[in-house]
Amino acid sequence: MREPLSRRDALRAVGAGGLAGLTALAGCTSSAGSDDTATATPTVTSAPSDDSAIQETNSIGMSCYTDEDDYFFRPDVVRVEPGTTLQFGVGTSCRQQTLAYHPDNDAPQRIPDGAESWSSPVMQGSMGGTFEVTLEVEGVYDYFGLHQEFGQVGSIVVGAPDPDGQPGLAPPQESIPEPARERLSELNDLVRSALSE
């Protein structure tokens, strides 16, 4: 007898590309009575992703499985042209935020020199919400979420930058929580590979 698909398996079957178009519904799912403020042991986020390609989209969903301590952005690597306005969207049940890795946000700089940092308000998923940021400077931008300690990070490639000298492609700094450092290293590999093609 075949087992029913879990939420994770169903989303994996749809793929990251399918999720990108659902930013307004970029949902967070949780068990009844779950609370994303509870203390939990951080684990590396292993949410569904298409790690074979960088997605070309201007929409990023901020999502979670609070009952599994997974908090993530989808797609977690996007490519846009300079001057593009990106929209981060949150669906239901999770508190979410997006912040550039920059000293303005008490974080190491992992965005291009001269680029403006960003910090969205904390958005409660049950009320929906979106945040927009316009990226003018070519380069690699790394960003993190409210749940960085669970590996909630992402990368944005603006234009076709030379990978050498990009703060976003440097080895992740020790001040970044380990699950986020591990995921940033994976994203670095993906971005370097794409930029070298």
Side-chain angles (χ1 to χ4, degrees):
M1 180 176 188
R2 190 170 185 189
E3 294 293 317
L5 286 177
S6 69
R7 286 186 309 267
R8 180 175 292 171
D9 292 336
L11 288 172
R12 191 174 282 124
V14 171
L19 290 177
L22 300 176
T23 300
L25 302 173
C28 304
T29 58
S30 64
S31 297
S34 69
D35 179 358
D36 67 350
T37 62
T39 303
T41 303
T43 56
V44 176
T45 296
S46 56
S49 178
D50 177 4
D51 286 337
S52 63
I54 295 176
Q55 302 293 311
E56 293 192 19
T57 180
N58 63 353
S59 298
I60 299 172
M62 299 185 288
S63 301
C64 68
Y65 301 128
T66 56
D67 54 341
E68 299 176 25
D69 298 328
D70 280 345
Y71 301 88
F72 50 92
F73 296 101
R74 284 298 174 261
D76 54 5
V77 182
V78 301
R79 183 180 225 156
V80 297
E81 292 301 315
T84 297
T85 298
L86 274 171
Q87 183 178 78
F88 290 85
V90 61
T92 60
S93 124
C94 296
R95 290 180 311 117
Q96 295 285 354
Q97 186 176 27
T98 173
L99 306 99
Y101 273 109
H102 191 275
D104 288 350
N105 297 320
D106 296 323
Q109 181 179 333
R110 298 191 59 82
I111 67 173
D113 292 334
E116 289 191 34
S117 68
W118 71 86
S119 173
S120 75
V122 175
M123 295 179 278
Q124 181 65 43
S126 61
M127 298 167 65
T130 59
F131 174 77
E132 292 184 344
V133 59
T134 301
L135 304 174
E136 301 286 353
V137 178
E138 186 173 77
V140 177
Y141 295 68
D142 285 343
Y143 62 94
F144 61 102
L146 189 62
H147 309 286
Q148 176 187 211
E149 70 275 14
F150 292 94
Q152 187 185 26
V153 297
S155 294
I156 303 163
V157 179
V158 178
D162 181 343
D164 294 331
Q166 290 293 321
L169 292 176
Q173 294 86 346
E174 290 294 318
S175 60
I176 296 172
E178 184 176 353
R181 284 197 318 266
E182 290 176 9
R183 186 62 186 145
L184 284 171
S185 293
E186 293 170 3
L187 299 181
N188 280 354
D189 291 344
L190 177 63
V191 170
R192 279 189 183 281
S193 176
L195 291 177
S196 65
E197 291 177 357

